[in-house]
PDB file of all heavy atoms in Angstrom:
ATOM      1  N   LEU A   1     151.845  89.833-140.055  1.00 98.00           N
ATOM      2  CA  LEU A   1     152.747  90.201-141.117  1.00 98.00           C
ATOM      3  C   LEU A   1     152.009  91.121-142.057  1.00 98.00           C
ATOM      4  O   LEU A   1     151.034  90.758-142.665  1.00 98.00           O
ATOM      5  CB  LEU A   1     153.232  88.941-141.858  1.00 98.00           C
ATOM      6  CG  LEU A   1     154.237  89.147-142.990  1.00 98.00           C
ATOM      7  CD1 LEU A   1     155.557  89.713-142.449  1.00 98.00           C
ATOM      8  CD2 LEU A   1     154.507  87.807-143.686  1.00 98.00           C
ATOM      9  N   GLU A   2     152.511  92.350-142.171  1.00 97.00           N
ATOM     10  CA  GLU A   2     151.867  93.339-143.034  1.00 97.00           C
ATOM     11  C   GLU A   2     152.397  93.272-144.467  1.00 97.00           C
ATOM     12  O   GLU A   2     151.630  93.340-145.417  1.00 97.00           O
ATOM     13  CB  GLU A   2     152.066  94.758-142.486  1.00 97.00           C
ATOM     14  CG  GLU A   2     151.423  95.828-143.306  1.00 97.00           C
ATOM     15  CD  GLU A   2     149.894  95.708-143.388  1.00 97.00           C
ATOM     16  OE1 GLU A   2     149.267  95.138-142.454  1.00 97.00           O
ATOM     17  OE2 GLU A   2     149.330  96.168-144.390  1.00 97.00           O
ATOM     18  N   ALA A   3     153.702  93.118-144.627  1.00 97.00           N
ATOM     19  CA  ALA A   3     154.297  93.074-145.972  1.00 97.00           C
ATOM     20  C   ALA A   3     155.700  92.522-145.878  1.00 97.00           C
ATOM     21  O   ALA A   3     156.294  92.451-144.801  1.00 97.00           O
ATOM     22  CB  ALA A   3     154.308  94.479-146.575  1.00 97.00           C
ATOM     23  N   VAL A   4     156.231  92.123-147.035  1.00 98.00           N
ATOM     24  CA  VAL A   4     157.624  91.694-147.157  1.00 98.00           C
ATOM     25  C   VAL A   4     158.242  92.397-148.366  1.00 98.00           C
ATOM     26  O   VAL A   4     157.543  92.801-149.282  1.00 98.00           O
ATOM     27  CB  VAL A   4     157.781  90.162-147.291  1.00 98.00           C
ATOM     28  CG1 VAL A   4     157.256  89.454-146.064  1.00 98.00           C
ATOM     29  CG2 VAL A   4     157.096  89.676-148.545  1.00 98.00           C
ATOM     30  N   GLY A   5     159.550  92.522-148.336  1.00 96.00           N
ATOM     31  CA  GLY A   5     160.244  93.131-149.463  1.00 96.00           C
ATOM     32  C   GLY A   5     161.718  92.813-149.357  1.00 96.00           C
ATOM     33  O   GLY A   5     162.192  92.261-148.371  1.00 96.00           O
ATOM     34  N   SER A   6     162.458  93.211-150.391  1.00 94.00           N
ATOM     35  CA  SER A   6     163.899  92.990-150.383  1.00 94.00           C
ATOM     36  C   SER A   6     164.678  94.138-150.991  1.00 94.00           C
ATOM     37  O   SER A   6     165.887  94.167-150.898  1.00 94.00           O
ATOM     38  CB  SER A   6     164.243  91.697-151.142  1.00 94.00           C
ATOM     39  OG  SER A   6     163.996  91.843-152.515  1.00 94.00           O
ATOM     40  N   GLY A   7     164.010  95.033-151.664  1.00 91.00           N
ATOM     41  CA  GLY A   7     164.703  96.123-152.359  1.00 91.00           C
ATOM     42  C   GLY A   7     165.190  95.740-153.749  1.00 91.00           C
ATOM     43  O   GLY A   7     165.805  96.533-154.419  1.00 91.00           O
ATOM     44  N   ASP A   8     164.911  94.510-154.180  1.00 89.00           N
ATOM     45  CA  ASP A   8     165.339  94.063-155.493  1.00 89.00           C
ATOM     46  C   ASP A   8     164.529  94.781-156.576  1.00 89.00           C
ATOM     47  O   ASP A   8     163.306  94.605-156.632  1.00 89.00           O
ATOM     48  CB  ASP A   8     165.149  92.549-155.610  1.00 89.00           C
ATOM     49  CG  ASP A   8     165.667  91.975-156.916  1.00 89.00           C
ATOM     50  OD1 ASP A   8     165.951  92.738-157.851  1.00 89.00           O
ATOM     51  OD2 ASP A   8     165.808  90.735-156.984  1.00 89.00           O
ATOM     52  N   PRO A   9     165.188  95.577-157.412  1.00 88.00           N
ATOM     53  CA  PRO A   9     164.436  96.362-158.402  1.00 88.00           C
ATOM     54  C   PRO A   9     163.842  95.533-159.541  1.00 88.00           C
ATOM     55  O   PRO A   9     162.994  96.047-160.284  1.00 88.00           O
ATOM     56  CB  PRO A   9     165.495  97.348-158.932  1.00 88.00           C
ATOM     57  CG  PRO A   9     166.788  96.653-158.729  1.00 88.00           C
ATOM     58  CD  PRO A   9     166.604  95.838-157.453  1.00 88.00           C
ATOM     59  N   ILE A  10     164.235  94.260-159.689  1.00 84.00           N
ATOM     60  CA  ILE A  10     163.673  93.464-160.775  1.00 84.00           C
ATOM     61  C   ILE A  10     162.798  92.307-160.287  1.00 84.00           C
ATOM     62  O   ILE A  10     162.387  91.468-161.056  1.00 84.00           O
ATOM     63  CB  ILE A  10     164.789  92.885-161.671  1.00 84.00           C
ATOM     64  CG1 ILE A  10     165.755  92.003-160.908  1.00 84.00           C
ATOM     65  CG2 ILE A  10     165.522  94.010-162.395  1.00 84.00           C
ATOM     66  CD1 ILE A  10     166.751  91.247-161.775  1.00 84.00           C
ATOM     67  N   ASP A  11     162.461  92.275-158.993  1.00 86.00           N
ATOM     68  CA  ASP A  11     161.606  91.237-158.432  1.00 86.00           C
ATOM     69  C   ASP A  11     160.158  91.737-158.390  1.00 86.00           C
ATOM     70  O   ASP A  11     159.829  92.624-157.618  1.00 86.00           O
ATOM     71  CB  ASP A  11     162.067  90.853-157.041  1.00 86.00           C
ATOM     72  CG  ASP A  11     161.301  89.697-156.442  1.00 86.00           C
ATOM     73  OD1 ASP A  11     160.331  89.216-157.064  1.00 86.00           O
ATOM     74  OD2 ASP A  11     161.666  89.247-155.349  1.00 86.00           O
ATOM     75  N   PRO A  12     159.285  91.157-159.221  1.00 87.00           N
ATOM     76  CA  PRO A  12     157.883  91.619-159.252  1.00 87.00           C
ATOM     77  C   PRO A  12     156.978  90.946-158.253  1.00 87.00           C
ATOM     78  O   PRO A  12     155.770  91.118-158.282  1.00 87.00           O
ATOM     79  CB  PRO A  12     157.468  91.244-160.686  1.00 87.00           C
ATOM     80  CG  PRO A  12     158.203  89.955-160.947  1.00 87.00           C
ATOM     81  CD  PRO A  12     159.557  90.153-160.246  1.00 87.00           C
ATOM     82  N   SER A  13     157.528  90.181-157.309  1.00 89.00           N
ATOM     83  CA  SER A  13     156.711  89.448-156.320  1.00 89.00           C
ATOM     84  C   SER A  13     155.813  90.371-155.510  1.00 89.00           C
ATOM     85  O   SER A  13     156.148  91.531-155.261  1.00 89.00           O
ATOM     86  CB  SER A  13     157.629  88.674-155.370  1.00 89.00           C
ATOM     87  OG  SER A  13     158.473  87.816-156.066  1.00 89.00           O
ATOM     88  N   SER A  14     154.711  89.806-155.048  1.00 92.00           N
ATOM     89  CA  SER A  14     153.772  90.525-154.211  1.00 92.00           C
ATOM     90  C   SER A  14     154.371  90.838-152.856  1.00 92.00           C
ATOM     91  O   SER A  14     155.053  90.013-152.253  1.00 92.00           O
ATOM     92  CB  SER A  14     152.492  89.704-154.015  1.00 92.00           C
ATOM     93  OG  SER A  14     151.666  90.282-153.041  1.00 92.00           O
ATOM     94  N   PHE A  15     154.090  92.031-152.354  1.00 95.00           N
ATOM     95  CA  PHE A  15     154.516  92.421-151.026  1.00 95.00           C
ATOM     96  C   PHE A  15     153.664  91.749-149.935  1.00 95.00           C
ATOM     97  O   PHE A  15     154.008  91.792-148.769  1.00 95.00           O
ATOM     98  CB  PHE A  15     154.455  93.948-150.831  1.00 95.00           C
ATOM     99  CG  PHE A  15     155.388  94.691-151.727  1.00 95.00           C
ATOM    100  CD1 PHE A  15     154.922  95.522-152.711  1.00 95.00           C
ATOM    101  CD2 PHE A  15     156.745  94.551-151.587  1.00 95.00           C
ATOM    102  CE1 PHE A  15     155.785  96.219-153.551  1.00 95.00           C
ATOM    103  CE2 PHE A  15     157.631  95.235-152.414  1.00 95.00           C
ATOM    104  CZ  PHE A  15     157.148  96.073-153.403  1.00 95.00           C
ATOM    105  N   LYS A  16     152.562  91.155-150.328  1.00 95.00           N
ATOM    106  CA  LYS A  16     151.637  90.573-149.354  1.00 95.00           C
ATOM    107  C   LYS A  16     151.843  89.065-149.133  1.00 95.00           C
ATOM    108  O   LYS A  16     151.163  88.472-148.322  1.00 95.00           O
ATOM    109  CB  LYS A  16     150.172  90.810-149.829  1.00 95.00           C
ATOM    110  CG  LYS A  16     149.754  92.252-149.692  1.00 95.00           C
ATOM    111  CD  LYS A  16     149.762  92.692-148.266  1.00 95.00           C
ATOM    112  CE  LYS A  16     149.070  94.008-148.041  1.00 95.00           C
ATOM    113  NZ  LYS A  16     149.042  94.344-146.634  1.00 95.00           N
ATOM    114  N   GLN A  17     152.789  88.463-149.831  1.00 96.00           N
ATOM    115  CA  GLN A  17     153.080  87.047-149.631  1.00 96.00           C
ATOM    116  C   GLN A  17     154.140  86.905-148.547  1.00 96.00           C
ATOM    117  O   GLN A  17     154.998  87.780-148.390  1.00 96.00           O
ATOM    118  CB  GLN A  17     153.548  86.413-150.923  1.00 96.00           C
ATOM    119  CG  GLN A  17     152.494  86.445-152.037  1.00 96.00           C
ATOM    120  CD  GLN A  17     151.235  85.741-151.618  1.00 96.00           C
ATOM    121  OE1 GLN A  17     151.261  84.612-151.114  1.00 96.00           O
ATOM    122  NE2 GLN A  17     150.088  86.370-151.819  1.00 96.00           N
ATOM    123  N   PRO A  18     154.177  85.803-147.809  1.00 97.00           N
ATOM    124  CA  PRO A  18     155.126  85.645-146.733  1.00 97.00           C
ATOM    125  C   PRO A  18     156.545  85.245-147.159  1.00 97.00           C
ATOM    126  O   PRO A  18     157.449  85.170-146.334  1.00 97.00           O
ATOM    127  CB  PRO A  18     154.515  84.570-145.853  1.00 97.00           C
ATOM    128  CG  PRO A  18     153.709  83.744-146.819  1.00 97.00           C
ATOM    129  CD  PRO A  18     153.180  84.722-147.834  1.00 97.00           C
ATOM    130  N   ASP A  19     156.728  84.950-148.446  1.00 97.00           N
ATOM    131  CA  ASP A  19     158.020  84.499-148.951  1.00 97.00           C
ATOM    132  C   ASP A  19     158.655  85.557-149.806  1.00 97.00           C
ATOM    133  O   ASP A  19     157.982  86.232-150.602  1.00 97.00           O
ATOM    134  CB  ASP A  19     157.843  83.234-149.796  1.00 97.00           C
ATOM    135  CG  ASP A  19     157.103  82.129-149.054  1.00 97.00           C
ATOM    136  OD1 ASP A  19     157.390  81.950-147.867  1.00 97.00           O
ATOM    137  OD2 ASP A  19     156.250  81.479-149.684  1.00 97.00           O
ATOM    138  N   ARG A  20     159.991  85.690-149.678  1.00 96.00           N
ATOM    139  CA  ARG A  20     160.697  86.714-150.463  1.00 96.00           C
ATOM    140  C   ARG A  20     162.110  86.272-150.774  1.00 96.00           C
ATOM    141  O   ARG A  20     162.831  85.812-149.873  1.00 96.00           O
ATOM    142  CB  ARG A  20     160.754  88.033-149.701  1.00 96.00           C
ATOM    143  CG  ARG A  20     161.111  89.209-150.533  1.00 96.00           C
ATOM    144  CD  ARG A  20     160.128  89.367-151.658  1.00 96.00           C
ATOM    145  NE  ARG A  20     160.234  90.655-152.300  1.00 96.00           N
ATOM    146  CZ  ARG A  20     159.221  91.250-152.885  1.00 96.00           C
ATOM    147  NH1 ARG A  20     158.019  90.687-152.901  1.00 96.00           N
ATOM    148  NH2 ARG A  20     159.383  92.379-153.472  1.00 96.00           N
ATOM    149  N   LYS A  21     162.493  86.401-152.036  1.00 94.00           N
ATOM    150  CA  LYS A  21     163.879  86.130-152.438  1.00 94.00           C
ATOM    151  C   LYS A  21     164.731  87.240-151.853  1.00 94.00           C
ATOM    152  O   LYS A  21     164.373  88.408-151.899  1.00 94.00           O
ATOM    153  CB  LYS A  21     163.971  86.124-153.972  1.00 94.00           C
ATOM    154  CG  LYS A  21     165.361  85.899-154.498  1.00 94.00           C
ATOM    155  CD  LYS A  21     165.365  85.920-156.010  1.00 94.00           C
ATOM    156  CE  LYS A  21     165.151  87.333-156.518  1.00 94.00           C
ATOM    157  NZ  LYS A  21     165.381  87.497-157.940  1.00 94.00           N
ATOM    158  N   THR A  22     165.890  86.855-151.300  1.00 96.00           N
ATOM    159  CA  THR A  22     166.766  87.878-150.746  1.00 96.00           C
ATOM    160  C   THR A  22     167.437  88.682-151.841  1.00 96.00           C
ATOM    161  O   THR A  22     167.588  88.203-152.982  1.00 96.00           O
ATOM    162  CB  THR A  22     167.849  87.257-149.830  1.00 96.00           C
ATOM    163  OG1 THR A  22     168.614  86.340-150.606  1.00 96.00           O
ATOM    164  CG2 THR A  22     167.229  86.571-148.629  1.00 96.00           C
ATOM    165  N   TYR A  23     167.824  89.870-151.519  1.00 94.00           N
ATOM    166  CA  TYR A  23     168.585  90.742-152.426  1.00 94.00           C
ATOM    167  C   TYR A  23     169.746  91.294-151.638  1.00 94.00           C
ATOM    168  O   TYR A  23     169.559  91.880-150.568  1.00 94.00           O
ATOM    169  CB  TYR A  23     167.681  91.854-152.949  1.00 94.00           C
ATOM    170  CG  TYR A  23     168.371  92.799-153.914  1.00 94.00           C
ATOM    171  CD1 TYR A  23     168.820  92.362-155.146  1.00 94.00           C
ATOM    172  CD2 TYR A  23     168.545  94.133-153.568  1.00 94.00           C
ATOM    173  CE1 TYR A  23     169.445  93.234-156.020  1.00 94.00           C
ATOM    174  CE2 TYR A  23     169.172  95.015-154.450  1.00 94.00           C
ATOM    175  CZ  TYR A  23     169.612  94.540-155.681  1.00 94.00           C
ATOM    176  OH  TYR A  23     170.231  95.399-156.533  1.00 94.00           O
ATOM    177  N   ARG A  24     170.938  91.073-152.154  1.00 94.00           N
ATOM    178  CA  ARG A  24     172.155  91.455-151.448  1.00 94.00           C
ATOM    179  C   ARG A  24     172.201  90.908-150.029  1.00 94.00           C
ATOM    180  O   ARG A  24     172.635  91.557-149.085  1.00 94.00           O
ATOM    181  CB  ARG A  24     172.339  92.955-151.478  1.00 94.00           C
ATOM    182  CG  ARG A  24     172.514  93.481-152.887  1.00 94.00           C
ATOM    183  CD  ARG A  24     172.785  94.926-152.951  1.00 94.00           C
ATOM    184  NE  ARG A  24     173.002  95.299-154.358  1.00 94.00           N
ATOM    185  CZ  ARG A  24     173.119  96.545-154.779  1.00 94.00           C
ATOM    186  NH1 ARG A  24     173.066  97.536-153.925  1.00 94.00           N
ATOM    187  NH2 ARG A  24     173.306  96.781-156.053  1.00 94.00           N
ATOM    188  N   GLY A  25     171.670  89.675-149.901  1.00 96.00           N
ATOM    189  CA  GLY A  25     171.719  88.944-148.632  1.00 96.00           C
ATOM    190  C   GLY A  25     170.640  89.319-147.626  1.00 96.00           C
ATOM    191  O   GLY A  25     170.721  88.876-146.474  1.00 96.00           O
ATOM    192  N   ARG A  26     169.628  90.104-148.052  1.00 97.00           N
ATOM    193  CA  ARG A  26     168.616  90.572-147.092  1.00 97.00           C
ATOM    194  C   ARG A  26     167.197  90.496-147.654  1.00 97.00           C
ATOM    195  O   ARG A  26     166.990  90.636-148.844  1.00 97.00           O
ATOM    196  CB  ARG A  26     168.905  92.015-146.698  1.00 97.00           C
ATOM    197  CG  ARG A  26     170.193  92.212-145.967  1.00 97.00           C
ATOM    198  CD  ARG A  26     170.403  93.720-145.698  1.00 97.00           C
ATOM    199  NE  ARG A  26     171.551  93.954-144.865  1.00 97.00           N
ATOM    200  CZ  ARG A  26     172.774  94.237-145.325  1.00 97.00           C
ATOM    201  NH1 ARG A  26     172.982  94.276-146.646  1.00 97.00           N
ATOM    202  NH2 ARG A  26     173.783  94.455-144.522  1.00 97.00           N
ATOM    203  N   ALA A  27     166.257  90.340-146.753  1.00 97.00           N
ATOM    204  CA  ALA A  27     164.817  90.484-147.028  1.00 97.00           C
ATOM    205  C   ALA A  27     164.208  91.095-145.770  1.00 97.00           C
ATOM    206  O   ALA A  27     164.704  90.866-144.671  1.00 97.00           O
ATOM    207  CB  ALA A  27     164.175  89.153-147.366  1.00 97.00           C
ATOM    208  N   THR A  28     163.123  91.821-145.939  1.00 98.00           N
ATOM    209  CA  THR A  28     162.526  92.529-144.788  1.00 98.00           C
ATOM    210  C   THR A  28     161.057  92.156-144.613  1.00 98.00           C
ATOM    211  O   THR A  28     160.297  92.111-145.594  1.00 98.00           O
ATOM    212  CB  THR A  28     162.619  94.065-144.998  1.00 98.00           C
ATOM    213  OG1 THR A  28     163.998  94.408-145.147  1.00 98.00           O
ATOM    214  CG2 THR A  28     162.047  94.821-143.814  1.00 98.00           C
ATOM    215  N   ALA A  29     160.693  91.917-143.353  1.00 98.00           N
ATOM    216  CA  ALA A  29     159.271  91.698-142.999  1.00 98.00           C
ATOM    217  C   ALA A  29     158.814  92.927-142.215  1.00 98.00           C
ATOM    218  O   ALA A  29     159.521  93.417-141.340  1.00 98.00           O
ATOM    219  CB  ALA A  29     159.151  90.447-142.123  1.00 98.00           C
ATOM    220  N   ILE A  30     157.626  93.392-142.570  1.00 98.00           N
ATOM    221  CA  ILE A  30     157.034  94.508-141.845  1.00 98.00           C
ATOM    222  C   ILE A  30     155.926  93.934-140.973  1.00 98.00           C
ATOM    223  O   ILE A  30     154.989  93.267-141.475  1.00 98.00           O
ATOM    224  CB  ILE A  30     156.487  95.584-142.798  1.00 98.00           C
ATOM    225  CG1 ILE A  30     157.621  96.081-143.714  1.00 98.00           C
ATOM    226  CG2 ILE A  30     155.858  96.727-142.005  1.00 98.00           C
ATOM    227  CD1 ILE A  30     157.152  96.989-144.826  1.00 98.00           C
ATOM    228  N   VAL A  31     156.046  94.165-139.670  1.00 98.00           N
ATOM    229  CA  VAL A  31     155.125  93.582-138.692  1.00 98.00           C
ATOM    230  C   VAL A  31     154.265  94.697-138.079  1.00 98.00           C
ATOM    231  O   VAL A  31     154.767  95.746-137.735  1.00 98.00           O
ATOM    232  CB  VAL A  31     155.950  92.855-137.594  1.00 98.00           C
ATOM    233  CG1 VAL A  31     155.060  92.288-136.524  1.00 98.00           C
ATOM    234  CG2 VAL A  31     156.805  91.784-138.232  1.00 98.00           C
ATOM    235  N   ARG A  32     152.958  94.392-137.973  1.00 97.00           N
ATOM    236  CA  ARG A  32     151.970  95.351-137.444  1.00 97.00           C
ATOM    237  C   ARG A  32     151.287  94.742-136.208  1.00 97.00           C
ATOM    238  O   ARG A  32     150.897  93.594-136.256  1.00 97.00           O
ATOM    239  CB  ARG A  32     150.951  95.670-138.497  1.00 97.00           C
ATOM    240  CG  ARG A  32     149.896  96.686-138.075  1.00 97.00           C
ATOM    241  CD  ARG A  32     148.797  96.859-139.124  1.00 97.00           C
ATOM    242  NE  ARG A  32     149.292  97.333-140.399  1.00 97.00           N
ATOM    243  CZ  ARG A  32     149.455  98.628-140.724  1.00 97.00           C
ATOM    244  NH1 ARG A  32     149.192  99.574-139.841  1.00 97.00           N
ATOM    245  NH2 ARG A  32     149.877  98.980-141.921  1.00 97.00           N
ATOM    246  N   PRO A  33     151.116  95.514-135.159  1.00 98.00           N
ATOM    247  CA  PRO A  33     150.397  95.008-133.959  1.00 98.00           C
ATOM    248  C   PRO A  33     148.920  94.757-134.298  1.00 98.00           C
ATOM    249  O   PRO A  33     148.330  95.471-135.096  1.00 98.00           O
ATOM    250  CB  PRO A  33     150.494  96.165-132.960  1.00 98.00           C
ATOM    251  CG  PRO A  33     151.624  97.009-133.438  1.00 98.00           C
ATOM    252  CD  PRO A  33     151.646  96.875-134.905  1.00 98.00           C
ATOM    253  N   GLY A  34     148.339  93.763-133.638  1.00 96.00           N
ATOM    254  CA  GLY A  34     146.932  93.449-133.810  1.00 96.00           C
ATOM    255  C   GLY A  34     146.632  92.733-135.104  1.00 96.00           C
ATOM    256  O   GLY A  34     147.524  92.337-135.845  1.00 96.00           O
ATOM    257  N   ARG A  35     145.337  92.606-135.393  1.00 94.00           N
ATOM    258  CA  ARG A  35     144.881  91.986-136.641  1.00 94.00           C
ATOM    259  C   ARG A  35     143.868  92.952-137.285  1.00 94.00           C
ATOM    260  O   ARG A  35     143.252  93.772-136.602  1.00 94.00           O
ATOM    261  CB  ARG A  35     144.154  90.659-136.342  1.00 94.00           C
ATOM    262  CG  ARG A  35     144.999  89.682-135.559  1.00 94.00           C
ATOM    263  CD  ARG A  35     145.243  88.427-136.353  1.00 94.00           C
ATOM    264  NE  ARG A  35     145.986  87.414-135.652  1.00 94.00           N
ATOM    265  CZ  ARG A  35     147.278  87.443-135.394  1.00 94.00           C
ATOM    266  NH1 ARG A  35     147.988  88.463-135.724  1.00 94.00           N
ATOM    267  NH2 ARG A  35     147.887  86.473-134.783  1.00 94.00           N
ATOM    268  N   ALA A  36     143.709  92.823-138.584  1.00 90.00           N
ATOM    269  CA  ALA A  36     142.769  93.701-139.316  1.00 90.00           C
ATOM    270  C   ALA A  36     141.383  93.617-138.673  1.00 90.00           C
ATOM    271  O   ALA A  36     140.890  92.522-138.402  1.00 90.00           O
ATOM    272  CB  ALA A  36     142.720  93.267-140.778  1.00 90.00           C
ATOM    273  N   GLY A  37     140.793  94.770-138.410  1.00 90.00           N
ATOM    274  CA  GLY A  37     139.472  94.831-137.844  1.00 90.00           C
ATOM    275  C   GLY A  37     139.434  94.683-136.319  1.00 90.00           C
ATOM    276  O   GLY A  37     138.343  94.741-135.724  1.00 90.00           O
ATOM    277  N   GLU A  38     140.552  94.461-135.694  1.00 92.00           N
ATOM    278  CA  GLU A  38     140.629  94.286-134.247  1.00 92.00           C
ATOM    279  C   GLU A  38     141.512  95.373-133.635  1.00 92.00           C
ATOM    280  O   GLU A  38     142.457  95.847-134.244  1.00 92.00           O
ATOM    281  CB  GLU A  38     141.220  92.934-133.880  1.00 92.00           C
ATOM    282  CG  GLU A  38     140.428  91.751-134.358  1.00 92.00           C
ATOM    283  CD  GLU A  38     141.124  90.445-134.023  1.00 92.00           C
ATOM    284  OE1 GLU A  38     142.118  90.427-133.250  1.00 92.00           O
ATOM    285  OE2 GLU A  38     140.676  89.392-134.556  1.00 92.00           O
TER     286      GLU A  38
END
């Protein structure tokens, strides 16, 4: 998991945490192949 987001303009949550409050019924996870350093 590289990052998460929702597009909510007033949500100051970190993009690096695995949890995200939905905005307009949606939240997005960005997935990256492999692991850091590999």
Side-chain angles (χ1 to χ4, degrees):
L1 181 63
E2 181 62 27
V4 297
S6 68
D8 185 346
I10 60 171
D11 185 355
S13 303
S14 170
F15 295 115
K16 289 296 192 177
Q17 298 301 312
D19 306 319
R20 195 59 166 209
K21 178 180 72 169
T22 59
Y23 180 65
R24 296 185 177 172
R26 295 177 174 93
T28 302
I30 302 171
V31 178
R32 181 186 300 273
R35 304 242 183 286
E38 298 176 10

